[in-house]
Amino acid sequence: MVRKPVVSTISKGGYLQGNVNGRLPSLGNKEPPGQEKVQLKRKVTLLRGVSIIIGTIIGAGIFISPKGVLQNTGSVGMSLTIWTVCGVLSLFGALSYAELGTTIKKSGGHYTYILEVFGPLPAFVRVWVELLIIRPAATAVISLAFGRYILEPFFIQCEIPELAIKLITAVGITVVMVLNSMSVSWSARIQIFLTFCKLTAILIIIVPGVMQLIKGQTQNFKDAFSGRDSSITRLPLAFYYGMYAYAGWFYLNFVTEEVENPEKTIPLAICISMAIVTIGYVLTNVAYFTTINAEELLLSNAVAVTFSERLLGNFSLAVPIFVALSCFGSMNGGVFAVSRLFYVASREGHLPEILSMIHVRKHTPLPAVIVLHPLTMIMLFSGDLDSLLNFLSFARWLFIGLAVAGLIYLRYKCPDMHRPFKVPLFIPALFSFTCLFMVALSLYSDPFSTGIGFVITLTGVPAYYLFIIWDKKPRWFRIMSGFLALMPAQACDM
């Protein structure tokens, strides 16, 4: 049997409170005298929803992924085509998630939808991979970009020491974790500010690029589809780079229970955000190619910095700062959203029950935020994180494709289910097919990295039977599991 958690209350310091049977308390339940009901508040408005999506999507991806997309497509024209296709596909995926989010009104995103449609085993495997690999690796990668760009103005004439990058990165990660532990409102307000910083960074690149086009700087677009040969089998890797840059459109669904009027706010926030991001991304790549040719772009480690140094003169020093703020916003938005996934998974009994506890006064899922910190630090100092992108992308898009396929299944299984927002069936069908096809093809394109991702994903199956199904665990195993589960609580009391 799947364990149904009974979440206890830690009240010595008045810090955390859990919910009986791992569920949020019903509005009809009477609380003991003098105790206030503890639950996550609906504080995510339309503006905050848009800022979460845009603020999480626009990170380091648009500033580092152009090289990866071009490398795996072979030409400027094909590169711009991939960026446009990835934008349209992301919009299709986001619209599908808008229907899922307004139909299944629970936080948790992919995990919740897979759980509702396909059952506990695939859902556990999804959260297992997210906890061990996807979120720590993704946070570490974007954090390293933050560390590199924020130090860029101080090391203009020399190479930035790797240790300095990792140390400033560790500080940035810690600040994000503390911020998300302290206040939902402040985290959301800072996210709104950082979203405007991101859009400013994009405009700093787009406006000079458009001026270059007006001046007739179009030489890099002549014979746009000619270039070095690139096999069609490398397109999945270009797709991964492009979709990595667009990743983040699904994060609002992780906090559905905190969204005001989710039936209207979620679809509207998704449509506004995806239109802004797709147009901005394509124009940014066009702007790059007005000044940098394909060969120069492939040699650059920081495309935005190379572009700004050529066109903006002394003002180019502002670009690394804006890019660093952009990365910080993605770190903040990702931690804010994914901590809710762990919180929901704990309520369902798939993670230690301590992770479903909420801070009594701050109303934040404090342990679910804290558990990310050590895992991300391990990833940060474990070596080269760029190699993680392919196999974390393998797991991410496999399960997103599966979740969207679940929407199609629900249409046939539950045709009378209330759907405040409904998309044409071809949208989820095309999106899920593309995701699953690219995931399968990537096993051929890069068998080592994606093979590692596949193996790590499969380890979730024995883990499910070991930690969830197996009832007769030895006493030493239960004691050790209980100690590990209480570590976040001990950190909260410090």
Side-chain angles (χ1 to χ4, degrees):
M1 283 183 67
V2 176
R3 174 176 63 89
K4 292 195 73 175
V6 178
V7 183
S8 60
T9 300
I10 299 177
S11 56
K12 288 182 180 178
Y15 290 117
L16 300 173
Q17 181 167 321
N19 305 297
V20 178
N21 294 326
R23 303 288 180 179
L24 289 174
S26 167
L27 293 177
N29 292 344
K30 293 183 179 180
E31 298 294 327
Q35 282 195 10
E36 182 185 354
K37 195 183 278 77
V38 180
Q39 56 186 343
L40 298 175
K41 305 294 185 182
R42 290 191 181 273
K43 295 185 177 181
V44 180
T45 61
L46 176 61
L47 179 60
R48 288 177 177 178
V50 170
S51 73
I52 287 173
I53 298 173
I54 294 180
T56 310
I57 293 177
I58 302 176
I62 186 58
F63 307 111
I64 59 176
S65 287
K67 178 177 178 179
V69 173
L70 181 62
Q71 206 166 27
N72 289 289
T73 54
S75 68
V76 171
M78 197 62 191
S79 170
L80 293 175
T81 301
I82 288 291
W83 279 103
T84 306
V85 169
C86 286
V88 173
L89 277 174
S90 297
L91 175 61
F92 282 5
L95 290 172
S96 301
Y97 264 52
E99 178 175 329
L100 286 167
T102 53
T103 303
I104 304 171
K105 298 183 184 68
K106 294 181 182 179
S107 296
H110 333 303
Y111 166 80
T112 297
Y113 308 142
I114 292 172
L115 177 66
E116 294 289 327
V117 177
F118 299 110
L121 175 56
F124 174 85
V125 174
R126 175 66 184 87
V127 78
W128 170 264
V129 175
E130 184 78 36
L131 179 63
L132 288 185
I133 294 293
I134 295 177
R135 182 43 40 193
T139 303
V141 168
I142 195 73
S143 302
L144 275 173
F146 162 79
R148 179 175 293 279
Y149 274 101
I150 205 168
L151 291 174
E152 188 79 31
F154 303 99
F155 293 86
I156 299 173
Q157 302 297 330
C158 59
E159 191 71 23
I160 306 173
E162 286 298 320
L163 181 59
I165 293 173
K166 291 192 175 184
L167 288 176
I168 199 71
T169 297
V171 172
I173 292 169
T174 304
V175 170
V176 167
M177 300 294 178
V178 170
L179 177 63
N180 279 272
S181 300
M182 297 301 290
S183 171
V184 172
S185 295
W186 271 107
S187 179
R189 287 170 191 154
I190 290 173
Q191 191 69 10
I192 292 172
F193 167 73
L194 292 172
T195 297
F196 284 109
C197 291
K198 292 166 181 283
L199 294 176
T200 302
I202 294 290
L203 286 173
I204 288 174
I205 294 170
I206 290 175
V207 172
V210 170
M211 292 174 66
Q212 289 286 91
L213 285 176
I214 294 172
K215 292 177 182 178
Q217 299 293 326
T218 59
Q219 63 273 15
N220 292 330
F221 299 101
K222 294 176 181 177
D223 300 320
F225 287 91
S226 65
R228 63 185 185 84
D229 294 332
S230 183
S231 171
I232 193 172
T233 58
R234 296 194 64 81
L235 286 181
L237 303 182
F239 169 84
Y240 279 169
Y241 275 100
M243 294 300 280
Y244 168 74
Y246 282 101
W249 49 262
F250 39 76
Y251 280 129
L252 189 60
N253 294 65
F254 284 30
V255 297
T256 301
E257 293 169 25
E258 297 171 71
V259 177
E260 291 182 358
N261 193 9
E263 294 185 358
K264 292 183 179 179
T265 301
I266 291 177
L268 194 55
I270 283 172
C271 290
I272 292 171
S273 303
M274 291 311 301
I276 292 172
V277 171
T278 303
I279 293 170
Y281 272 19
V282 174
L283 289 178
T284 299
N285 278 277
V286 170
Y288 286 150
F289 287 117
T290 62
T291 305
I292 308 171
N293 62 37
E295 290 74 20
E296 291 169 333
L297 191 145
L298 289 174
L299 292 173
S300 173
N301 290 322
V303 182
V305 173
T306 304
F307 174 87
S308 63
E309 286 174 348
R310 297 210 180 167
L311 285 186
L312 304 179
N314 292 332
F315 188 69
S316 64
L317 289 176
V319 172
I321 302 300
F322 277 109
V323 174
L325 290 172
S326 175
C327 295
F328 189 85
S330 287
M331 293 157 59
N332 182 57
V335 170
F336 177 83
V338 175
S339 62
R340 272 60 177 178
L341 183 152
F342 298 151
Y343 165 79
V344 172
S346 176
R347 285 192 327 198
E348 300 292 340
H350 286 165
L351 287 177
E353 57 198 41
I354 186 71
L355 298 183
S356 66
M357 292 183 177
I358 302 168
H359 196 287
V360 170
R361 294 192 302 274
K362 303 181 189 303
H363 297 100
T364 58
L366 190 57
V369 174
I370 290 176
V371 74
L372 284 170
H373 190 267
L375 294 170
T376 304
M377 289 298 176
I378 290 170
M379 287 287 180
L380 174 63
F381 289 99
S382 63
D384 179 19
L385 292 172
D386 288 338
S387 60
L388 296 174
L389 280 176
N390 280 348
F391 70 77
L392 76 85
S393 294
F394 169 86
R396 169 181 279 169
W397 297 112
L398 170 64
F399 285 103
I400 289 176
L402 190 62
V404 174
L407 184 154
I408 302 170
Y409 177 73
L410 281 178
R411 288 279 189 94
Y412 289 100
K413 183 182 178 182
C414 308
D416 299 325
M417 181 181 285
H418 177 58
R419 294 178 173 87
F421 181 82
K422 194 173 181 179
V423 296
L425 200 58
F426 82 89
I427 288 179
L430 179 61
F431 178 82
S432 58
F433 172 78
T434 304
C435 282
L436 297 175
F437 176 74
M438 287 297 178
V439 163
L441 195 58
S442 69
L443 284 169
Y444 176 78
S445 304
D446 187 4
F448 180 75
S449 294
T450 52
I452 292 174
F454 182 65
V455 170
I456 292 174
T457 301
L458 287 180
T459 62
V461 177
Y464 174 74
Y465 288 97
L466 178 64
F467 294 109
I468 307 300
I469 298 297
W470 185 26
D471 288 330
K472 297 179 180 179
K473 299 179 180 70
R475 186 170 178 271
W476 64 268
F477 189 92
R478 294 197 303 272
I479 292 172
M480 186 175 68
S481 299
F483 173 74
L484 292 174
L486 284 173
M487 284 178 66
Q490 293 166 355
C492 295
D493 289 330
M494 290 176 63

